[in-house]
């Protein structure tokens, strides 16, 4: 018989959202809270803490290392999916760019029927997650939370010169730069905010920031190496299914139970959260029956609406008389590595002190400011917006029409971002997907563009009834269906064309690059390039979407799973329309919103 312990709240997953939520809820000393995390505690690991070492964490023991099924529209390529398996989750292995989302995007969530999720409320909650430091060290902005950020940090060379060149070139094209990425309205470039503590020069993430401030509380228990295998559900109440607790397996293989007197909150991420619902009996009854799982609640929306930013880019060779790039460091040149170690040790700068993705830009559909560009967009929308993709159920929900209307509004706006650009002074391999670590000789810059609001949507589902399956992709089938919607292809193609034809040829970048012929003869060549080189970002959302069930929802506006009394989900999976760029900042905001809603709900229950 499983041993059992009792708590008020059981949190499944000690990742980005889970630890933020646990920290906020444990502020109430009357609540006994447990967090169950499958990974380990790596808060003292130099590979985690040293900013520039983040690429080494992919395919490590702290990465779930998922992969997609072969992608039909990406030449049947399989995409690797890093996801954090450690205290702090993906906030401990990501490239730590901290990019707040747009007012339009968050208001789009509210317009789906999510009461209380308007941008003003979300921004207020999100501001509780971070503290922003200026280059001088002073605190700036309205944020006042545990995640420490630096933006426009003092950069060593060559990063400073290349950042300036990129931002100035955008300005010459009519996009005033730098912009304020925290404003909710961005149409131009900016230096990347990073979750790096300027005092320690180390990664600031949910494990050392949120948990660090809360772990001494006697009402908070955190267990690592604990794999939750099932949510224990009861159908004895008339008002809905009750989550009585969870079953989990410790690292030694022993099975245990954690009973919840008030709430079970799933914070297992975009892939594991829907899978955990399904193996526990909540999901599409046809799938569950096929897997031999007893159906508790039939909701075919579970695991659907998977969204992600698809991206590719272009690399340019730097002129011989221009300032060097970071290529020698990434080729492990001893002199460059030594200089990087000194820069980090003395000033916290250089390629070891940051992600090396030194700047970003959020730009509208290229040419939308002109009459010709507006005509082109309208023609694309007329021809392709409502183009049938296939008869799969993930395109048959009412949400498809709402989503299309949202994307249309973005594409027709001269100020809303339809692509997020990232810039780095080093070579990046796009052509040879089989060797992404390839480093060409010489000096290069890379400009990539990711589609901010793709219409292509996919799914993730359990492939087995076993709650602790560790084979293959841990019992999951993941299919993002990248570029399955033809409008996505056309929009991203024009952004890549804009990189090649406009940004790289604008001053001062143009004089810093070697003369070259056009990489693409026309848009047809760009389309071919997309299908051959594009990949998915690591920004997955939507598989347990927060919206009305009739639209395709899994949780309501209080993050409660439809048909249940006390089972909630609080992580990236609830985001119904993917944010315009990196998701880290958004997930912290969702956790802060979730903590507020759950506290209010528990307090209301006590008053009844």
């Amino acid at each position: 018989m499983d041993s059992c312990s009792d708590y008020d709240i059981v949190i499944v997953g000690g990742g980005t959202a889970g630890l933020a939520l646990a920290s906020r809820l444990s502020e109430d000393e009357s609540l006994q809270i447990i967090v169950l995390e499958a990974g380990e505690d790596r808060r003292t690991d130099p590979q985690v803490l040293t900013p520039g070492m983040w690429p080494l964490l992919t395919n490590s023991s702290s990465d779930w290392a998922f992969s997609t099924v072969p992608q039909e529209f990406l030449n049947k390529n399989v995409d690797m999916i890093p996801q954090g398996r450690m205290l702090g989750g993906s906030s401990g292995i990501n490239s730590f760019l901290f990019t707040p989302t747009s007012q339009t995007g968050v208001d789009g969530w509210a317009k789906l029927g999510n009461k209380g999720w308007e941008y003003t409320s979300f921004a207020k909650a999100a501001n509780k997650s971070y503290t922003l430091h200026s280059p001088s060290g002073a605190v700036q902005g309205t944020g006042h939370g545990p995640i420490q950020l630096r933006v426009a940090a003092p950069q060593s060379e060559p990063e400073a010169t290349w950042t300036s060149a990129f931002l100035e070139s955008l300005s010459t094209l009519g996009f005033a730069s730098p912009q304020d990425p925290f404003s909710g309205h961005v149409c131009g470039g900016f230096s990347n905010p990073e979750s790096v503590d300027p005092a320690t020069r180390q990664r600031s993430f949910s494990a050392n920031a949120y948990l660090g401030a809360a772990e001494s509380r006697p009402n908070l228990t955190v267990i690592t190496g604990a794999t939750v295998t099932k949510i224990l559900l009861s159908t004895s109440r008339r008002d809905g299914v009750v989550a009585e607790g969870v079953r989990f397996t410790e690292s030694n293989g022993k099975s245990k139970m954690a009973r919840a007197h008030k709430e079970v909150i799933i914070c297992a991420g975009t892939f594991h959260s829907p899978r955990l619902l399904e193996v526990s009996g909540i999901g599409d009854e046809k799938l569950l029956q096929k897997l031999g799982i007893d159906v508790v609640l039939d909701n075919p929306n579970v695991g659907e609406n998977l969204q992600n930013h698809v991206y590719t880019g272009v690399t340019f060779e730097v002129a011989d008389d221009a300032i060097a790039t970071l290529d020698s460091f990434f080729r492990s040149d001893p002199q460059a590595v030594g200089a990087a170690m000194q820069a980090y040790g003395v000033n916290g700068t250089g390629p070891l002190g940051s992600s090396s993705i030194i700047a970003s830009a959020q730009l509208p559909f290229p040419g939308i400011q002109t009459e010709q560009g507006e005509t082109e967009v309208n023609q694309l929308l007329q021809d392709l917006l409502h183009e049938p993709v296939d008869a799969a159920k993930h395109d048959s929900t009412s949400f498809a029409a709402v989503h299309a209307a949202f994307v249309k509004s973005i594409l027709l706006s001269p100020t809303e971002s339809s692509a997020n650009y990232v810039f780095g002074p080093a070579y990046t391999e796009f052509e040879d997907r089989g060797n992404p670590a390839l480093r060409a000789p010489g000096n290069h810059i890379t400009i990539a563009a990711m589609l901010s609001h793709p219409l292509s949507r996919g799914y993730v589902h359990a492939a087995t009834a076993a709650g602790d399956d560790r084979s293959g992709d841990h019992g999951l089938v993941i299919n993002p269906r990248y570029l399955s919607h033809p409008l996505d292809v056309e929009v991203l193609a024009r952004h890549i064309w804009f990189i090649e034809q406009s940004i790289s040829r604008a001053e001062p970048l143009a004089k810093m690059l070697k003369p070259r012929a056009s990489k693409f003869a026309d848009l047809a060549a760009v389309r071919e390039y997309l299908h051959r080189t594009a990949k998915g970002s690591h920004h997955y959302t939507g598989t347990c979407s927060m919206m009305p069930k009739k639209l395709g929802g899994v949780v309501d506006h209080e993050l409660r799973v439809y048909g249940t009394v006390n089972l909630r989900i609080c992580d990236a999976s609830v985001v119904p329309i993917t944010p315009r760029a990196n998701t880290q900042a958004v997930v912290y905001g969702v956790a802060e919103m979730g903590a507020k809603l759950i506290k209010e709900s528990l307090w209301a229950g006590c008053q009844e």
Side-chain angles (χ1 to χ4, degrees), residues 359-381:
S360 292
Q362 292 167 4
L363 303 179
F365 184 92
I368 186 62
Q369 302 91 340
T370 68
E371 183 177 348
Q372 179 181 347
E374 186 176 354
T375 299
E376 182 179 10
V377 172
N378 277 301
Q379 189 62 55
L380 287 173
L381 291 170

Side-chain angles (χ1 to χ4, degrees), residues 144-182:
H144 48 88
I147 301 299
Q148 304 302 303
L149 306 180
R150 63 182 188 188
V151 63
Q155 295 178 332
S156 56
E157 295 295 352
E159 296 98 319
T161 294
W162 285 110
T163 297
S164 295
F166 178 67
L167 298 181
E168 289 173 23
S169 295
L170 290 173
S171 293
T172 65
L173 293 172
F175 301 106
S177 303
Q179 297 270 303
D180 176 8
F182 294 86

Side-chain angles (χ1 to χ4, degrees), residues 75-98:
N75 284 5
K76 307 293 183 181
N77 288 312
V78 172
D79 231 18
M80 304 308 295
I81 306 173
Q83 292 283 286
R85 186 179 186 178
M86 60 185 292
L87 273 183
S90 291
S91 73
I93 73 168
N94 63 14
S95 63
F96 46 86
L97 300 186
F98 196 94

Side-chain angles (χ1 to χ4, degrees), residues 102 104-105 364-365 405-414 416-418 452-453:
S102 66
T104 299
F365 184 92
F406 173 81
V407 171
K408 178 179 180 179
S409 71
I410 296 294
L411 293 177
L412 288 174
S413 170
E416 293 292 339
S417 167
S418 60
S452 291
H453 297 293

Side-chain angles (χ1 to χ4, degrees), residues 157-218:
E157 295 295 352
E159 296 98 319
T161 294
W162 285 110
T163 297
S164 295
F166 178 67
L167 298 181
E168 289 173 23
S169 295
L170 290 173
S171 293
T172 65
L173 293 172
F175 301 106
S177 303
Q179 297 270 303
D180 176 8
F182 294 86
S183 66
H185 302 278
V186 175
C187 187
F190 51 89
S191 296
N192 285 322
E194 295 181 329
S195 51
V196 174
D197 189 334
T200 65
R201 304 169 183 173
Q202 296 178 336
R203 177 192 294 270
S204 179
F205 66 121
S206 65
N208 62 8
Y210 275 100
L211 181 59
E215 62 184 333
S216 62
R217 296 170 185 162

Side-chain angles (χ1 to χ4, degrees), residues 6-10 30-33 259-264:
D6 286 50
Y7 302 88
D8 293 305
I9 296 175
V10 174
S30 70
L31 295 175
Q32 289 295 320
I33 299 167
R259 184 180 291 117
H261 292 290
K262 295 184 182 294
E263 300 267 347
V264 172

